[in-house]
Amino acid sequence: MLTLLGASATAAFPARGRHFRFNWPLLAAVGLALSGCMPATAPLASADPADPAARVARVGYRPTIAPYTSLRPATPAPWRERNDGVAPQPKQDQ
């Protein structure tokens, strides 16, 4: 496999004229040095979720359509009375 990598590297850079080789110890040292730059893990802010004796909040059920009330079947009323009930009151002339 390294031969394939070297062949493809020389095909990509024909002016170099030599095979591309990885410097595995240098690569491992750079990886180890960069792993030291990783932030430390933070402690859990609350109880461990894997602890079966941990206290948790109760689960409640709230339906998403709770305020809904069915409007059918509605009792029919004459349309003129309904229209007069929602129409704005006429202004009185002064």
Side-chain angles (χ1 to χ4, degrees), residues 4-76:
L4 293 174
L5 288 174
S8 66
T10 55
F13 303 107
R16 290 177 73 181
R18 60 182 181 167
H19 292 288
F20 180 73
R21 289 187 290 151
F22 281 90
N23 191 353
W24 293 109
L26 179 64
L27 186 64
V30 169
L32 186 61
L34 288 178
S35 68
C37 297
M38 295 294 295
T41 56
L44 293 174
S46 62
D48 184 16
D51 182 16
R55 297 181 59 152
V56 293
R58 294 180 55 99
V59 177
Y61 173 73
R62 293 186 308 178
T64 56
I65 57 170
Y68 173 76
T69 55
S70 176
L71 300 176
R72 295 180 192 254
T75 57

